[in-house]
Amino acid sequence: MKNIVLAAGFLAFGGGAFAQDIPKADPATVEKYVQSIWSKASPEWQARVKLDETQRICSETNNTPSQAQFEAIIAREKASVAYPADGNVMGDWKRGMVVAQRGTGGQFSDAPGTYQGGNCFACHELTKEEVSYGTLGPSLLGYGKNRKFDPAEAKAAFAKIYNPHVVFPCSQMPRFGHTKFLTEEQIKDAVALLFSPDSPVNK
Ligand code: HEC
């Protein structure tokens, strides 16, 4: 919600008004408006407009939760991580590269069955070859190598990709496993991309 108010404020400011002139939006009005935008969407999509407890706290505190909220988020989100039953978090880095490169799927304009990718490159540098990447997230170049290919670190990366709030409450990185956007196999493949010695990430 806050982002909408901020965006509106930014536009008004650009128009020559002063920040303090921006009328305060009643949260209930904003909420109703956002719901109305989604009124024609399927019930499944409408449900996604509702914030869960973690999202609510992050929105209300503008991503600066109190210490107690910070700890509560980590505890709650940690409980959501489902590790592979056999304990193996490493998949196939080549398939992981597809996960990292593809940003398709999950939009209501997508045909059913469209491949859902993790779009990691949109926020992270991962390889030296790829020059077009986003910088919202830190560079992951050499990620496994820098961690000595430690299996405990690979397991932590699985949890991170599954649900970033486990490590960094109010992270801007999507909760890929928690939301079931990526499958367990895709998350394992992304871990392999980060932790395989022969992956281009570690070259
Ligand atoms: C919308 C942007 C975004 C996308 C897409 C994204 N990330 Fe992130 N990621 C971030 C941000 C921001 C951080 C830093 C904050 C944090 O740790 O949560 C981060 C942190 C990380 C970290 C921890 C880095 C460290 O310092 O240890 C890993 C590992 C990671 N991302 C992997 C991935 C993988 C793999 C994908 C694709 C499946 C992905 N990310 C997709 C934004 C993103």
Side-chain angles (χ1 to χ4, degrees):
M1 296 311 95
K2 263 192 181 132
N3 285 343
I4 292 168
V5 178
L6 284 176
F10 186 72
L11 289 177
F13 194 76
F18 291 102
Q20 60 266 37
D21 293 341
I22 298 160
K24 283 231 163 29
D26 166 28
T29 307
V30 176
E31 186 70 25
K32 217 169 134 196
Y33 175 69
V34 173
Q35 299 284 351
S36 76
I37 299 174
W38 294 86
S39 62
K40 292 196 182 73
S42 70
E44 187 207 340
W45 277 85
Q46 287 190 28
R48 291 172 63 169
V49 180
K50 293 203 180 66
L51 304 177
D52 69 19
E53 185 64 4
T54 295
Q55 291 168 321
R56 188 184 63 76
I57 291 168
C58 294
S59 289
E60 284 178 7
T61 63
N62 211 1
N63 296 335
T64 49
S66 69
Q67 187 64 29
Q69 287 170 325
F70 185 95
E71 282 159 20
I73 290 173
I74 290 184
R76 178 173 44 246
E77 302 295 314
K78 245 186 189 160
S80 86
V81 179
Y83 291 97
D86 65 0
N88 175 25
V89 295
M90 291 276 279
D92 175 328
W93 75 257
K94 287 189 182 134
R95 283 196 313 247
M97 185 59 98
V98 179
V99 173
Q101 286 174 335
R102 299 277 288 273
T104 55
Q107 300 172 54
F108 55 78
S109 49
D110 281 329
T114 301
Y115 179 86
Q116 301 203 164
N119 213 11
C120 318
F121 277 103
C123 297
H124 295 286
E125 176 183 25
L126 284 140
T127 65
K128 287 192 191 115
E129 293 75 44
E130 180 56 74
V131 291
S132 172
Y133 54 83
T135 53
L136 185 62
S139 170
L140 302 177
L141 210 55
Y143 197 80
K145 195 175 167 187
N146 293 340
R147 286 161 182 75
K148 304 190 166 55
F149 304 110
D150 180 352
E153 292 280 3
K155 193 179 172 203
F158 182 92
K160 176 75 195 174
I161 301 165
Y162 198 103
N163 189 336
H165 296 267
V166 163
V167 184
F168 197 115
C170 301
S171 171
Q172 289 177 305
M173 179 166 150
R175 294 180 288 181
F176 290 110
H178 179 81
T179 56
K180 301 200 165 36
F181 194 80
L182 294 183
T183 63
E184 177 182 293
E185 195 185 23
Q186 285 178 305
I187 298 174
K188 284 169 65 171
D189 293 340
V191 172
L193 180 68
L194 298 178
F195 278 88
S196 295
D198 53 344
S199 156
V201 168
N202 297 309
K203 294 289 174 207

